[in-house]
Amino acid sequence: MASEDITKLAESLAKTKVGDGQLSFKGQSLKLNTAEDAEEVIKQIEEFDGLEALRLEGNTVGVEAAKVIAKALEKKSELKRCHWSDMFTGRLRSEIPPALIALGDALITAGAQLVELDLSDNAFGPDGVRGFEALLKSPACYTLQELKLNNCGLGIGGGKILAAALKECHRKSSAQGKPLALKVFVAGRNRLENDGATALAEAFGIIGTLEEVHMPQNGINHPGITALAQAFAINPLLKVINLNDNTFTEKGAVAMAETLKTLRQVEVINFGDCLVRSKGAVAIADAVKEGLHKLKELNLAFGEIQRDAALTVAEALEDKTELERLDLNGNTLGSEGCEQLREILESFNMAAVLGPLSDDEEEEEEENEDEGEENEEEDDDEEEEEEEEEQQQQLNERGQGEQELLTRPNIIDSQSSTPVPSPPVDVATFLAFPSPEKLLRLGPRCSVLIAQETDTSDVEKVVTTLLRISSVFKDEAPVKTAVHETTDALMRKAFASATFNSDAFVTGLLVHMGLLKSEDKIKAVPSLYGILMTLNHMVQQDYFPKSLAPVLSAFVTKPNRAFESCSFARHMLLQTLHQL
């Protein structure tokens, strides 16, 4: 190590905090690649008697450095808290599992009895869970009370591995007469979805000692929410339930409300951005009214809740003397409903608990939500049929007999055995009737051709062209590559133009996606999957202005029924935007 690097490391280590059994290297941006890099850290660990907590957050630890740090930890039997979030910045995903295995094995060897393990903000994915799976199953974690895995990219697979490890830990610890008594579980922004959440719900039901569960932004829909609700009912000590930004709909909200009726210790309910809707809100209000006397915070923001349901929620809070905050922002109460809400809370002397209502929307005519949800797929089918009819009509008007040729590209001529060739595809044909096949038939220069023929000074033209390109997105290599390359060529050209209005572009795009209202009657695209997956690629490119990311994030974060059929794509985009 160069002398200047040693000096820099020494200066950083001088900031190391010691006290109450804790050794902290938090936020020192140490780059520990080799054993030599880690020498000073190891020295501090070895010389610390009675080490109970080790903070390594905000540094980056390679495999070799992790192994020598692990060696130093093998003698630290009193270690109880491992604050190891954000400690693999810039590392290859393949480096993280062996580093975690080394550190975990050291804790097992030391005979440590952990109380807290925090591995948040380490993007290790399912493979990373394998890295500490053995640790979770070992006696070192029989005493674990807090497990924090926020923003680790676990995915469904990682969620299942984690659930299995927790169940095994509970089984083994129970056999020794001291069952695992986990109190705090944190796993937000992990793309767990229904299957991952359901697997974890099974583990929660077995454990039964949870006091806090934080699982926001996981793309969980009502089947996963219902599974969690059933598990929560077997955890009577629950105080905090944070499932923000998942998709309950009425079914999930009603299931969760039934569970809330059985719980007595709940202090915080965060179901914001969860689309609980009016029926779900009323069910939750009934649960609150029947009990939950310790409730301090209730968040039902951005849930598509109508005025009457919101007022029912307020009325249910009359005797909740511990309440400190009520969030109903971003619903559809209308100005009159907002005023009525304030009046109800004022009559209880609780006006101060109400959060802002600045994002409330004017009340719309309430629809039959049950019927709407049941017929949602049918509505989608009808939309597709209408589009097909529209396209057929346009084809007939063109009078070129294109439809038959496009649907049967190799018709055998009745007079000969020679196949009639597929009609040539040009940019205009593709943009008029987009399909993956047409995009590929434009050939390797499709991206150049579409960019050349698009007037990027016309923002609306750029928006509609991008939407038509993204509409054919498939998670298949040839199509996916073609969509990405064509998007890159178009948007690189647009953003590079001095006359291109980026703000107007984003606004127009949000309108066409149905995420922003417009005075003009513009029909939203029938599916957001393609554009969300395309945006997930686009925002990571060097041509994309990073100043637009917060705007996109704000609108994609806001609940909308259009996201229900593409929650995975939405979650992927949100995770990417948060990392920019």
Side-chain angles (χ1 to χ4, degrees), residues 13 46 50 99 160 212 236 350 353 364 388 407 521 563 574:
L13 290 172
E46 290 177 339
K160 289 181 175 180
E212 295 186 23
M350 298 172 68
V353 306
E364 299 174 356
E388 287 174 6
T407 54
K521 291 185 177 180
F563 291 132
L574 280 174

Side-chain angles (χ1 to χ4, degrees), residues 524-575:
V525 293
S527 171
L528 294 183
Y529 178 76
I531 185 59
L532 290 174
M533 293 300 286
T534 302
L535 283 171
N536 187 51
H537 165 81
M538 193 173 101
V539 300
Q540 299 178 63
Q541 307 311 307
D542 57 4
Y543 60 75
F544 182 78
K546 297 301 184 280
S547 60
L548 300 181
V551 180
L552 275 178
S553 181
F555 281 91
V556 177
T557 298
K558 189 175 180 181
N560 193 300
R561 288 190 184 187
F563 291 132
E564 290 181 16
S565 62
C566 51
S567 59
F568 172 75
R570 177 198 188 198
H571 192 77
M572 287 282 288
L573 176 57
L574 280 174
Q575 190 167 47

Side-chain angles (χ1 to χ4, degrees), residues 346-553:
E346 284 175 2
S347 70
F348 302 154
N349 197 28
M350 298 172 68
V353 306
L354 182 62
L357 297 171
S358 55
D359 291 318
D360 184 79
E361 297 184 10
E362 283 303 315
E363 187 176 18
E364 299 174 356
E365 185 177 346
E366 191 160 5
E367 60 185 56
N368 187 323
E369 291 174 337
D370 285 336
E371 187 177 316
E373 184 168 312
E374 290 170 4
N375 295 334
E376 192 169 306
E377 290 184 7
E378 186 179 320
D379 292 342
D380 289 342
D381 291 340
E382 288 177 3
E383 281 186 12
E384 289 177 10
E385 287 174 9
E386 287 176 7
E387 285 191 0
E388 287 174 6
E389 289 175 7
E390 202 174 295
Q391 289 185 7
Q392 182 65 52
Q393 184 178 348
Q394 290 174 334
L395 281 167
N396 291 339
E397 288 172 358
R398 288 172 65 158
Q400 295 178 2
E402 224 178 32
Q403 181 66 20
E404 186 177 354
L405 291 172
L406 287 174
T407 54
R408 293 189 293 155
N410 291 312
I411 301 173
I412 304 298
D413 190 291
S414 59
Q415 302 300 319
S416 72
S417 59
T418 306
V420 176
S422 299
V425 174
D426 56 19
V427 172
T429 303
F430 167 72
L431 292 178
F433 308 106
S435 73
E437 294 75 20
K438 290 196 192 79
L439 181 62
L440 295 177
R441 280 165 55 196
L442 279 172
R445 297 188 69 248
C446 63
S447 59
V448 176
L449 293 172
I450 291 176
Q452 284 177 344
E453 295 198 24
T454 303
D455 179 7
T456 53
S457 65
D458 185 342
V459 171
E460 181 66 14
K461 186 70 174 177
V462 174
V463 169
T464 55
T465 302
L466 175 63
L467 288 169
R468 286 169 184 172
I469 294 167
S470 64
S471 70
V472 306
F473 179 90
K474 281 186 177 181
D475 200 16
E476 298 172 2
V479 178
K480 183 178 180 180
T481 300
V483 169
H484 285 174
E485 290 179 351
T486 307
T487 298
D488 289 342
L490 172 67
M491 298 314 303
R492 191 181 299 278
K493 176 185 175 184
F495 286 125
S497 172
T499 60
F500 186 69
N501 189 328
S502 299
D503 292 334
F505 165 75
V506 172
T507 300
L509 183 61
L510 292 170
V511 168
H512 280 274
M513 291 172 69
L515 305 182
L516 182 63
K517 292 182 179 180
S518 170
E519 293 180 0
D520 300 324
K521 291 185 177 180
I522 295 176
K523 185 178 180 181
V525 293
S527 171
L528 294 183
Y529 178 76
I531 185 59
L532 290 174
M533 293 300 286
T534 302
L535 283 171
N536 187 51
H537 165 81
M538 193 173 101
V539 300
Q540 299 178 63
Q541 307 311 307
D542 57 4
Y543 60 75
F544 182 78
K546 297 301 184 280
S547 60
L548 300 181
V551 180
L552 275 178
S553 181

Side-chain angles (χ1 to χ4, degrees), residues 19-35:
D20 298 325
Q22 173 176 284
L23 177 61
S24 175
F25 300 95
K26 181 178 179 180
Q28 294 183 20
S29 300
L30 301 176
K31 295 181 181 179
L32 308 178
N33 298 315
T34 65

Side-chain angles (χ1 to χ4, degrees), residues 269-392:
I269 297 172
N270 187 344
F271 297 159
D273 292 351
C274 286
L275 288 179
V276 299
R277 299 192 178 130
S278 295
K279 183 178 177 180
V282 170
I284 292 168
D286 288 343
V288 171
K289 189 172 184 177
E290 288 184 19
L292 302 185
H293 295 291
K294 297 183 178 181
L295 189 64
K296 294 180 179 179
E297 180 179 333
L298 176 61
N299 184 347
L300 296 176
F302 297 97
E304 291 191 357
I305 301 170
Q306 300 278 345
R307 177 182 61 179
D308 290 348
L311 299 182
T312 300
V313 171
E315 289 166 352
L317 302 172
E318 182 175 3
D319 62 346
K320 309 308 170 196
T321 56
E322 300 294 318
L323 192 70
E324 297 173 359
R325 180 171 176 78
L326 170 65
D327 193 345
L328 285 168
N329 197 21
N331 289 298
T332 51
L333 283 68
S335 55
E336 184 179 343
C338 289
E339 187 57 36
Q340 289 175 321
L341 179 66
R342 294 187 184 97
E343 288 174 0
I344 290 172
L345 293 173
E346 284 175 2
S347 70
F348 302 154
N349 197 28
M350 298 172 68
V353 306
L354 182 62
L357 297 171
S358 55
D359 291 318
D360 184 79
E361 297 184 10
E362 283 303 315
E363 187 176 18
E364 299 174 356
E365 185 177 346
E366 191 160 5
E367 60 185 56
N368 187 323
E369 291 174 337
D370 285 336
E371 187 177 316
E373 184 168 312
E374 290 170 4
N375 295 334
E376 192 169 306
E377 290 184 7
E378 186 179 320
D379 292 342
D380 289 342
D381 291 340
E382 288 177 3
E383 281 186 12
E384 289 177 10
E385 287 174 9
E386 287 176 7
E387 285 191 0
E388 287 174 6
E389 289 175 7
E390 202 174 295
Q391 289 185 7
Q392 182 65 52

